[in-house]
Amino acid sequence: MKHRVLIADDQSLLRRGFRLILESEPTIDVVGEAVDGLDAVSMARVLRPDVVLMDIRMPNVDGLEATRRILANGNGSTKVLILTTFDLDEYVYEALRSGASAFLLKDAPPEQLIHAIHVVAAGDALLAPSVTRRLIHEFAKRPTPREATGPDLRELTAREVEVLKLVARGDSNAEIAHALYVSETTVKTHVARILAKLGARDRTQAVVLAYESGLVQPGVR
């Protein structure tokens, strides 16, 4: 089964470059190219891609707003992978808050881009350690949350809270399994239940919620 990908970037040379990279991968099918955010929203609604490669800085509607609109349309099968040349804290935070499942720089190696698409299309999120560190740094600058735990978080079991804290720290399933002395399959089950209880789209959204609720605090392990 091929993953259907929509490329959204206002620079034609970059769109062409991404297309060449992705079309070399037999499990990926590039279904269209959007020239700006408004075009991306319209094409995503019609084409219903599995993944949208979304540039942040585009005319008419920027990538962050386009991401919000695409995900607000109710098509839960479409995921957004943000691509940008700007490695800035504010973009990482806003991209994840907008509902993006991954954040990569445009100069990332082709194999990393292809891997990210597979991960995101499979319904997971890509939180590289460097991105997690920037996310934590951004939350560290924000006001202390009003409540340590919200109503949704109280639905989690003690073990699920433990797992969520490790996810928010940026640990992989393998690292969580090692820390808790359980199998990776068990960790995956816990994560799936956490997402369901929180109504979170993916790990990224769960991490943002964990920090915003105060369940996890920057610099506290």
Side-chain angles (χ1 to χ4, degrees):
M1 178 180 176
K2 287 190 174 184
H3 298 313
R4 294 162 49 81
V5 176
L6 170 64
I7 301 171
D9 197 298
D10 61 324
Q11 299 184 47
S12 60
L13 286 178
L14 286 176
R15 292 199 307 274
R16 186 179 306 171
F18 288 137
R19 178 181 280 275
L20 288 174
I21 291 172
L22 299 182
E23 288 185 337
S24 68
E25 175 62 34
T27 58
I28 293 177
D29 181 20
V30 178
V31 296
E33 298 180 18
V35 300
D36 58 34
L38 198 59
D39 196 24
V41 174
S42 176
M43 294 184 71
R45 185 180 296 113
V46 174
L47 298 174
R48 302 178 71 83
D50 298 309
V51 178
V52 178
L53 293 188
M54 184 75 75
D55 184 26
I56 286 184
R57 291 191 173 182
M58 292 188 291
N60 297 324
V61 172
D62 67 26
L64 299 179
E65 178 59 26
T67 296
R68 297 185 190 100
R69 294 185 188 184
I70 288 172
L71 298 178
N73 284 337
N75 182 10
S77 63
T78 296
K79 310 296 182 183
V80 177
L81 195 167
I82 296 288
L83 286 170
T84 182
T85 55
F86 303 97
D87 186 16
L88 302 175
D89 294 346
E90 62 188 274
Y91 287 119
V92 175
Y93 177 77
E94 290 303 329
L96 299 181
R97 286 289 293 120
S98 298
S101 295
F103 183 102
L104 289 178
L105 295 180
K106 288 183 178 178
D107 60 1
E111 59 272 17
Q112 187 176 346
L113 173 60
I114 291 172
H115 172 69
I117 289 174
H118 288 312
V119 170
V120 171
D124 207 341
L126 195 68
L127 277 178
S130 60
V131 172
T132 304
R133 283 194 296 271
R134 288 195 294 275
L135 182 62
I136 292 172
H137 176 71
E138 181 66 24
F139 276 112
K141 298 186 298 183
R142 292 173 180 269
T144 302
R146 289 185 297 274
E147 287 186 27
T149 54
D152 290 337
L153 293 182
R154 285 198 288 267
E155 296 182 12
L156 302 181
T157 65
R159 175 60 95 180
E160 288 166 353
V161 168
E162 198 172 10
V163 170
L164 178 55
K165 288 180 178 179
L166 294 175
V167 170
R169 197 173 70 184
D171 289 3
S172 66
N173 285 345
E175 291 169 333
I176 295 173
H178 179 74
L180 300 181
Y181 302 100
V182 297
S183 68
E184 284 191 55
T185 300
T186 298
V187 173
K188 290 179 181 178
T189 299
H190 283 312
V191 171
R193 289 174 178 168
I194 290 169
L195 298 184
K197 289 183 178 181
L198 298 182
R201 184 181 303 105
D202 51 35
R203 291 168 79 106
T204 304
Q205 198 172 30
V207 168
V208 171
L209 178 58
Y211 278 102
E212 290 191 330
S213 68
L215 177 67
V216 180
Q217 297 180 15
V220 180
R221 297 178 69 86

Short mmCIF file of all heavy atoms in Angstrom, two decimals, residues 71-131:
data_model
loop_
_atom_site.label_atom_id
_atom_site.label_comp_id
_atom_site.label_asym_id
_atom_site.label_seq_id
_atom_site.Cartn_x
_atom_site.Cartn_y
_atom_site.Cartn_z
N LEU A 71 -6.64 20.09 9.37
CA LEU A 71 -6.99 19.16 10.44
C LEU A 71 -8.37 19.47 11.03
O LEU A 71 -9.02 18.59 11.57
CB LEU A 71 -5.93 19.22 11.54
CG LEU A 71 -4.52 18.79 11.06
CD1 LEU A 71 -3.52 18.92 12.19
CD2 LEU A 71 -4.54 17.37 10.52
N ALA A 72 -8.82 20.72 10.89
CA ALA A 72 -10.14 21.08 11.39
C ALA A 72 -11.25 20.59 10.47
O ALA A 72 -12.42 20.57 10.87
CB ALA A 72 -10.24 22.60 11.54
N ASN A 73 -10.88 20.19 9.27
CA ASN A 73 -11.88 19.71 8.31
C ASN A 73 -12.46 18.35 8.68
O ASN A 73 -13.39 17.86 8.06
CB ASN A 73 -11.29 19.64 6.89
CG ASN A 73 -11.16 21.00 6.25
OD1 ASN A 73 -11.87 21.94 6.63
ND2 ASN A 73 -10.25 21.14 5.30
N GLY A 74 -11.82 17.72 9.70
CA GLY A 74 -12.37 16.46 10.17
C GLY A 74 -11.85 15.24 9.46
O GLY A 74 -12.31 14.13 9.71
N ASN A 75 -10.88 15.42 8.56
CA ASN A 75 -10.30 14.26 7.89
C ASN A 75 -9.15 13.75 8.73
O ASN A 75 -8.00 14.12 8.54
CB ASN A 75 -9.81 14.66 6.49
CG ASN A 75 -9.24 13.47 5.73
OD1 ASN A 75 -9.37 12.33 6.16
ND2 ASN A 75 -8.61 13.73 4.61
N GLY A 76 -9.46 12.88 9.68
CA GLY A 76 -8.46 12.39 10.62
C GLY A 76 -7.36 11.57 10.00
O GLY A 76 -6.33 11.33 10.62
N SER A 77 -7.56 11.11 8.77
CA SER A 77 -6.54 10.27 8.14
C SER A 77 -5.38 11.09 7.58
O SER A 77 -4.31 10.55 7.31
CB SER A 77 -7.17 9.44 7.01
OG SER A 77 -7.67 10.28 5.99
N THR A 78 -5.57 12.38 7.39
CA THR A 78 -4.50 13.23 6.86
C THR A 78 -3.62 13.76 7.98
O THR A 78 -4.11 14.32 8.96
CB THR A 78 -5.08 14.43 6.09
OG1 THR A 78 -5.80 13.95 4.94
CG2 THR A 78 -3.96 15.35 5.60
N LYS A 79 -2.32 13.56 7.85
CA LYS A 79 -1.35 14.05 8.82
C LYS A 79 -0.50 15.14 8.15
O LYS A 79 -0.37 15.17 6.93
CB LYS A 79 -0.43 12.92 9.30
CG LYS A 79 -1.17 11.67 9.75
CD LYS A 79 -2.04 11.92 10.96
CE LYS A 79 -2.73 10.62 11.40
NZ LYS A 79 -3.63 10.84 12.54
N VAL A 80 0.08 16.00 8.96
CA VAL A 80 0.90 17.09 8.44
C VAL A 80 2.32 16.98 8.96
O VAL A 80 2.55 16.84 10.17
CB VAL A 80 0.32 18.46 8.82
CG1 VAL A 80 1.23 19.57 8.32
CG2 VAL A 80 -1.08 18.62 8.22
N LEU A 81 3.27 17.05 8.03
CA LEU A 81 4.69 17.04 8.36
C LEU A 81 5.25 18.40 7.94
O LEU A 81 5.26 18.73 6.76
CB LEU A 81 5.39 15.90 7.61
CG LEU A 81 6.80 15.49 8.05
CD1 LEU A 81 7.18 14.16 7.40
CD2 LEU A 81 7.85 16.54 7.71
N ILE A 82 5.65 19.19 8.91
CA ILE A 82 6.14 20.53 8.65
C ILE A 82 7.59 20.50 8.17
O ILE A 82 8.44 19.87 8.80
CB ILE A 82 6.06 21.42 9.91
CG1 ILE A 82 4.61 21.63 10.34
CG2 ILE A 82 6.77 22.76 9.69
CD1 ILE A 82 3.82 22.55 9.44
N LEU A 83 7.86 21.17 7.05
CA LEU A 83 9.22 21.30 6.53
C LEU A 83 9.56 22.78 6.46
O LEU A 83 8.78 23.58 5.94
CB LEU A 83 9.33 20.69 5.14
CG LEU A 83 9.34 19.17 5.06
CD1 LEU A 83 9.20 18.73 3.61
CD2 LEU A 83 10.62 18.61 5.64
N THR A 84 10.72 23.15 6.98
CA THR A 84 11.09 24.56 6.97
C THR A 84 12.60 24.73 6.97
O THR A 84 13.33 23.82 7.35
CB THR A 84 10.49 25.29 8.19
OG1 THR A 84 10.83 26.67 8.13
CG2 THR A 84 11.04 24.71 9.48
N THR A 85 13.06 25.89 6.56
CA THR A 85 14.48 26.22 6.63
C THR A 85 14.77 26.96 7.93
O THR A 85 15.91 27.26 8.24
CB THR A 85 14.90 27.13 5.46
OG1 THR A 85 14.05 28.28 5.45
CG2 THR A 85 14.77 26.39 4.14
N PHE A 86 13.72 27.25 8.69
CA PHE A 86 13.87 28.06 9.89
C PHE A 86 13.80 27.20 11.15
O PHE A 86 12.73 26.75 11.54
CB PHE A 86 12.78 29.15 9.94
CG PHE A 86 12.80 30.03 8.73
CD1 PHE A 86 11.95 29.78 7.66
CD2 PHE A 86 13.70 31.08 8.63
CE1 PHE A 86 11.97 30.57 6.53
CE2 PHE A 86 13.73 31.88 7.50
CZ PHE A 86 12.87 31.62 6.44
N ASP A 87 14.95 26.96 11.74
CA ASP A 87 15.06 26.11 12.92
C ASP A 87 14.90 26.97 14.17
O ASP A 87 15.85 27.21 14.92
CB ASP A 87 16.42 25.41 12.91
CG ASP A 87 16.56 24.38 14.02
OD1 ASP A 87 15.53 24.00 14.59
OD2 ASP A 87 17.70 23.98 14.31
N LEU A 88 13.68 27.48 14.38
CA LEU A 88 13.45 28.40 15.48
C LEU A 88 12.43 27.83 16.47
O LEU A 88 11.46 27.16 16.08
CB LEU A 88 12.92 29.75 14.95
CG LEU A 88 13.83 30.47 13.95
CD1 LEU A 88 13.12 31.72 13.44
CD2 LEU A 88 15.16 30.84 14.60
N ASP A 89 12.64 28.12 17.75
CA ASP A 89 11.76 27.61 18.81
C ASP A 89 10.29 27.92 18.54
O ASP A 89 9.42 27.08 18.69
CB ASP A 89 12.16 28.21 20.15
CG ASP A 89 13.54 27.75 20.62
OD1 ASP A 89 14.07 26.78 20.06
OD2 ASP A 89 14.06 28.38 21.53
N GLU A 90 10.02 29.17 18.13
CA GLU A 90 8.63 29.58 17.97
C GLU A 90 7.93 28.78 16.89
O GLU A 90 6.74 28.47 17.00
CB GLU A 90 8.56 31.07 17.64
CG GLU A 90 9.24 31.43 16.33
CD GLU A 90 9.33 32.94 16.12
OE1 GLU A 90 8.36 33.50 15.60
OE2 GLU A 90 10.36 33.52 16.46
N TYR A 91 8.65 28.41 15.84
CA TYR A 91 8.05 27.62 14.77
C TYR A 91 7.78 26.19 15.22
O TYR A 91 6.76 25.61 14.88
CB TYR A 91 8.93 27.63 13.54
CG TYR A 91 8.93 28.95 12.80
CD1 TYR A 91 10.09 29.68 12.64
CD2 TYR A 91 7.74 29.48 12.30
CE1 TYR A 91 10.09 30.90 11.98
CE2 TYR A 91 7.72 30.69 11.64
CZ TYR A 91 8.90 31.40 11.49
OH TYR A 91 8.88 32.61 10.84
N VAL A 92 8.70 25.62 15.98
CA VAL A 92 8.50 24.26 16.49
C VAL A 92 7.25 24.22 17.34
O VAL A 92 6.37 23.38 17.15
CB VAL A 92 9.72 23.80 17.32
CG1 VAL A 92 9.44 22.43 17.93
CG2 VAL A 92 10.96 23.73 16.45
N TYR A 93 7.17 25.13 18.29
CA TYR A 93 6.03 25.14 19.21
C TYR A 93 4.72 25.35 18.47
O TYR A 93 3.75 24.61 18.66
CB TYR A 93 6.22 26.24 20.26
CG TYR A 93 5.05 26.35 21.21
CD1 TYR A 93 4.87 25.43 22.23
CD2 TYR A 93 4.10 27.37 21.06
CE1 TYR A 93 3.80 25.53 23.10
CE2 TYR A 93 3.03 27.47 21.92
CZ TYR A 93 2.88 26.55 22.93
OH TYR A 93 1.80 26.65 23.78
N GLU A 94 4.66 26.37 17.62
CA GLU A 94 3.42 26.68 16.92
C GLU A 94 3.03 25.58 15.94
O GLU A 94 1.85 25.31 15.73
CB GLU A 94 3.54 28.02 16.20
CG GLU A 94 3.59 29.21 17.14
CD GLU A 94 2.37 29.28 18.06
OE1 GLU A 94 1.28 28.84 17.65
OE2 GLU A 94 2.52 29.76 19.18
N ALA A 95 4.03 24.94 15.33
CA ALA A 95 3.73 23.83 14.41
C ALA A 95 3.07 22.68 15.15
O ALA A 95 2.08 22.10 14.69
CB ALA A 95 5.01 23.36 13.72
N LEU A 96 3.60 22.34 16.30
CA LEU A 96 3.03 21.25 17.08
C LEU A 96 1.67 21.63 17.65
O LEU A 96 0.76 20.82 17.70
CB LEU A 96 4.00 20.85 18.20
CG LEU A 96 5.37 20.34 17.73
CD1 LEU A 96 6.23 19.94 18.91
CD2 LEU A 96 5.21 19.17 16.77
N ARG A 97 1.52 22.90 18.07
CA ARG A 97 0.24 23.36 18.58
C ARG A 97 -0.82 23.36 17.48
O ARG A 97 -2.00 23.20 17.75
CB ARG A 97 0.37 24.78 19.17
CG ARG A 97 1.09 24.84 20.50
CD ARG A 97 0.26 24.26 21.64
NE ARG A 97 -0.93 25.06 21.92
CZ ARG A 97 -2.18 24.61 21.85
NH1 ARG A 97 -2.42 23.38 21.48
NH2 ARG A 97 -3.19 25.39 22.12
N SER A 98 -0.38 23.54 16.25
CA SER A 98 -1.31 23.56 15.11
C SER A 98 -1.80 22.16 14.78
O SER A 98 -2.75 21.99 14.01
CB SER A 98 -0.63 24.18 13.88
OG SER A 98 -0.29 25.52 14.14
N GLY A 99 -1.14 21.15 15.33
CA GLY A 99 -1.56 19.78 15.09
C GLY A 99 -0.64 18.99 14.19
O GLY A 99 -0.94 17.85 13.84
N ALA A 100 0.51 19.57 13.81
CA ALA A 100 1.46 18.84 12.96
C ALA A 100 1.99 17.63 13.71
O ALA A 100 2.15 17.65 14.93
CB ALA A 100 2.61 19.76 12.56
N SER A 101 2.25 16.57 12.96
CA SER A 101 2.75 15.34 13.57
C SER A 101 4.27 15.25 13.56
O SER A 101 4.84 14.39 14.24
CB SER A 101 2.17 14.11 12.84
OG SER A 101 0.78 14.04 12.99
N ALA A 102 4.93 16.11 12.79
CA ALA A 102 6.39 16.07 12.72
C ALA A 102 6.91 17.41 12.25
O ALA A 102 6.18 18.20 11.63
CB ALA A 102 6.86 14.95 11.79
N PHE A 103 8.16 17.66 12.53
CA PHE A 103 8.81 18.92 12.17
C PHE A 103 10.22 18.59 11.71
O PHE A 103 11.02 18.06 12.47
CB PHE A 103 8.84 19.84 13.39
CG PHE A 103 9.41 21.20 13.15
CD1 PHE A 103 8.58 22.30 13.01
CD2 PHE A 103 10.77 21.41 13.08
CE1 PHE A 103 9.10 23.57 12.80
CE2 PHE A 103 11.31 22.66 12.87
CZ PHE A 103 10.46 23.75 12.73
N LEU A 104 10.52 18.86 10.44
CA LEU A 104 11.85 18.58 9.90
C LEU A 104 12.38 19.80 9.16
O LEU A 104 11.62 20.58 8.60
CB LEU A 104 11.81 17.40 8.92
CG LEU A 104 11.59 16.00 9.48
CD1 LEU A 104 11.52 15.01 8.32
CD2 LEU A 104 12.68 15.60 10.45
N LEU A 105 13.70 19.94 9.17
CA LEU A 105 14.32 20.99 8.37
C LEU A 105 14.41 20.53 6.92
O LEU A 105 14.55 19.34 6.64
CB LEU A 105 15.71 21.32 8.91
CG LEU A 105 15.75 21.93 10.31
CD1 LEU A 105 17.19 22.20 10.73
CD2 LEU A 105 14.93 23.20 10.38
N LYS A 106 14.36 21.49 5.99
CA LYS A 106 14.39 21.14 4.58
C LYS A 106 15.71 20.51 4.14
O LYS A 106 15.77 19.85 3.10
CB LYS A 106 14.10 22.38 3.72
CG LYS A 106 12.65 22.83 3.79
CD LYS A 106 12.40 24.02 2.89
CE LYS A 106 10.95 24.45 2.93
NZ LYS A 106 10.69 25.63 2.08
N ASP A 107 16.77 20.73 4.92
CA ASP A 107 18.05 20.14 4.54
C ASP A 107 18.27 18.76 5.18
O ASP A 107 19.38 18.23 5.17
CB ASP A 107 19.21 21.07 4.90
CG ASP A 107 19.28 21.39 6.39
OD1 ASP A 107 18.44 20.87 7.15
OD2 ASP A 107 20.19 22.15 6.79
N ALA A 108 17.20 18.19 5.73
CA ALA A 108 17.31 16.84 6.29
C ALA A 108 17.64 15.86 5.17
O ALA A 108 17.22 16.03 4.03
CB ALA A 108 16.00 16.45 6.96
N PRO A 109 18.42 14.81 5.45
CA PRO A 109 18.76 13.82 4.42
C PRO A 109 17.51 13.17 3.85
O PRO A 109 16.50 13.02 4.55
CB PRO A 109 19.59 12.79 5.21
CG PRO A 109 20.10 13.52 6.40
CD PRO A 109 19.01 14.50 6.76
N PRO A 110 17.53 12.81 2.56
CA PRO A 110 16.36 12.19 1.92
C PRO A 110 15.82 10.99 2.69
O PRO A 110 14.60 10.83 2.83
CB PRO A 110 16.89 11.77 0.55
CG PRO A 110 17.98 12.76 0.27
CD PRO A 110 18.63 13.00 1.60
N GLU A 111 16.71 10.15 3.22
CA GLU A 111 16.25 8.97 3.94
C GLU A 111 15.50 9.34 5.22
O GLU A 111 14.57 8.64 5.63
CB GLU A 111 17.42 8.03 4.28
CG GLU A 111 18.52 8.65 5.14
CD GLU A 111 19.61 9.36 4.33
OE1 GLU A 111 19.38 9.65 3.14
OE2 GLU A 111 20.69 9.58 4.90
N GLN A 112 15.88 10.47 5.83
CA GLN A 112 15.18 10.93 7.03
C GLN A 112 13.79 11.44 6.68
O GLN A 112 12.82 11.19 7.41
CB GLN A 112 15.99 12.04 7.71
CG GLN A 112 15.43 12.46 9.07
CD GLN A 112 16.31 13.48 9.76
OE1 GLN A 112 17.44 13.71 9.37
NE2 GLN A 112 15.78 14.11 10.79
N LEU A 113 13.67 12.11 5.55
CA LEU A 113 12.37 12.59 5.09
C LEU A 113 11.44 11.42 4.78
O LEU A 113 10.27 11.41 5.19
CB LEU A 113 12.54 13.46 3.84
CG LEU A 113 11.25 13.91 3.14
CD1 LEU A 113 10.38 14.74 4.07
CD2 LEU A 113 11.60 14.71 1.88
N ILE A 114 11.95 10.44 4.06
CA ILE A 114 11.15 9.27 3.72
C ILE A 114 10.72 8.51 4.97
O ILE A 114 9.56 8.09 5.10
CB ILE A 114 11.94 8.35 2.77
CG1 ILE A 114 12.10 9.04 1.40
CG2 ILE A 114 11.24 7.00 2.60
CD1 ILE A 114 13.02 8.31 0.45
N HIS A 115 11.65 8.37 5.91
CA HIS A 115 11.32 7.70 7.17
C HIS A 115 10.22 8.46 7.91
O HIS A 115 9.28 7.85 8.45
CB HIS A 115 12.58 7.61 8.05
CG HIS A 115 12.30 7.11 9.44
ND1 HIS A 115 11.91 5.82 9.72
CD2 HIS A 115 12.33 7.76 10.65
CE1 HIS A 115 11.72 5.68 11.02
NE2 HIS A 115 11.97 6.84 11.60
N ALA A 116 10.33 9.78 7.93
CA ALA A 116 9.34 10.60 8.63
C ALA A 116 7.96 10.41 8.02
O ALA A 116 6.96 10.33 8.75
CB ALA A 116 9.75 12.07 8.57
N ILE A 117 7.88 10.34 6.72
CA ILE A 117 6.59 10.15 6.05
C ILE A 117 5.98 8.81 6.43
O ILE A 117 4.79 8.71 6.73
CB ILE A 117 6.75 10.25 4.51
CG1 ILE A 117 7.03 11.71 4.12
CG2 ILE A 117 5.51 9.73 3.80
CD1 ILE A 117 7.36 11.90 2.68
N HIS A 118 6.80 7.76 6.46
CA HIS A 118 6.30 6.45 6.85
C HIS A 118 5.78 6.46 8.29
O HIS A 118 4.72 5.90 8.58
CB HIS A 118 7.40 5.40 6.71
CG HIS A 118 7.73 5.05 5.29
ND1 HIS A 118 6.77 4.75 4.36
CD2 HIS A 118 8.92 4.95 4.64
CE1 HIS A 118 7.33 4.49 3.19
NE2 HIS A 118 8.65 4.60 3.34
N VAL A 119 6.54 7.09 9.18
CA VAL A 119 6.15 7.14 10.59
C VAL A 119 4.84 7.90 10.77
O VAL A 119 3.92 7.44 11.45
CB VAL A 119 7.26 7.82 11.44
CG1 VAL A 119 6.77 8.11 12.85
CG2 VAL A 119 8.50 6.93 11.49
N VAL A 120 4.75 9.07 10.14
CA VAL A 120 3.56 9.91 10.27
C VAL A 120 2.35 9.25 9.61
O VAL A 120 1.24 9.25 10.16
CB VAL A 120 3.83 11.30 9.65
CG1 VAL A 120 2.54 12.11 9.57
CG2 VAL A 120 4.87 12.05 10.47
N ALA A 121 2.54 8.66 8.44
CA ALA A 121 1.43 8.02 7.74
C ALA A 121 0.89 6.83 8.53
O ALA A 121 -0.30 6.50 8.44
CB ALA A 121 1.88 7.56 6.36
N ALA A 122 1.75 6.22 9.32
CA ALA A 122 1.33 5.07 10.12
C ALA A 122 0.53 5.50 11.35
O ALA A 122 0.06 4.67 12.13
CB ALA A 122 2.55 4.26 10.56
N GLY A 123 0.39 6.82 11.54
CA GLY A 123 -0.42 7.32 12.65
C GLY A 123 0.38 7.68 13.88
O GLY A 123 -0.17 8.00 14.92
N ASP A 124 1.71 7.61 13.76
CA ASP A 124 2.55 7.99 14.89
C ASP A 124 3.04 9.40 14.69
O ASP A 124 2.72 10.05 13.70
CB ASP A 124 3.74 7.02 15.00
CG ASP A 124 4.25 6.90 16.43
OD1 ASP A 124 3.94 7.79 17.24
OD2 ASP A 124 4.97 5.93 16.73
N ALA A 125 3.83 9.88 15.62
CA ALA A 125 4.40 11.22 15.50
C ALA A 125 5.91 11.12 15.57
O ALA A 125 6.45 10.18 16.15
CB ALA A 125 3.89 12.12 16.62
N LEU A 126 6.58 12.07 14.96
CA LEU A 126 8.03 12.06 14.94
C LEU A 126 8.53 13.19 15.83
O LEU A 126 8.44 14.36 15.47
CB LEU A 126 8.55 12.26 13.51
CG LEU A 126 10.02 11.93 13.29
CD1 LEU A 126 10.25 10.43 13.42
CD2 LEU A 126 10.46 12.40 11.92
N LEU A 127 9.01 12.82 17.00
CA LEU A 127 9.54 13.80 17.93
C LEU A 127 11.03 13.52 18.12
O LEU A 127 11.42 12.78 19.01
CB LEU A 127 8.82 13.73 19.27
CG LEU A 127 7.49 14.47 19.38
CD1 LEU A 127 6.88 14.24 20.75
CD2 LEU A 127 7.66 15.93 19.10
N ALA A 128 11.84 14.09 17.27
CA ALA A 128 13.28 13.92 17.40
C ALA A 128 13.74 14.58 18.69
O ALA A 128 13.14 15.56 19.14
CB ALA A 128 13.99 14.54 16.21
N PRO A 129 14.79 14.06 19.32
CA PRO A 129 15.28 14.66 20.56
C PRO A 129 15.53 16.16 20.46
O PRO A 129 15.23 16.91 21.39
CB PRO A 129 16.59 13.89 20.80
CG PRO A 129 16.36 12.56 20.18
CD PRO A 129 15.55 12.86 18.94
N SER A 130 16.07 16.62 19.31
CA SER A 130 16.36 18.05 19.16
C SER A 130 15.07 18.87 19.17
O SER A 130 15.00 19.96 19.75
CB SER A 130 17.12 18.31 17.86
OG SER A 130 16.36 17.89 16.74
N VAL A 131 14.02 18.34 18.54
CA VAL A 131 12.73 19.03 18.53
C VAL A 131 12.12 19.03 19.93
O VAL A 131 11.57 20.03 20.39
CB VAL A 131 11.76 18.35 17.54
CG1 VAL A 131 10.36 18.95 17.66
CG2 VAL A 131 12.28 18.51 16.12
#
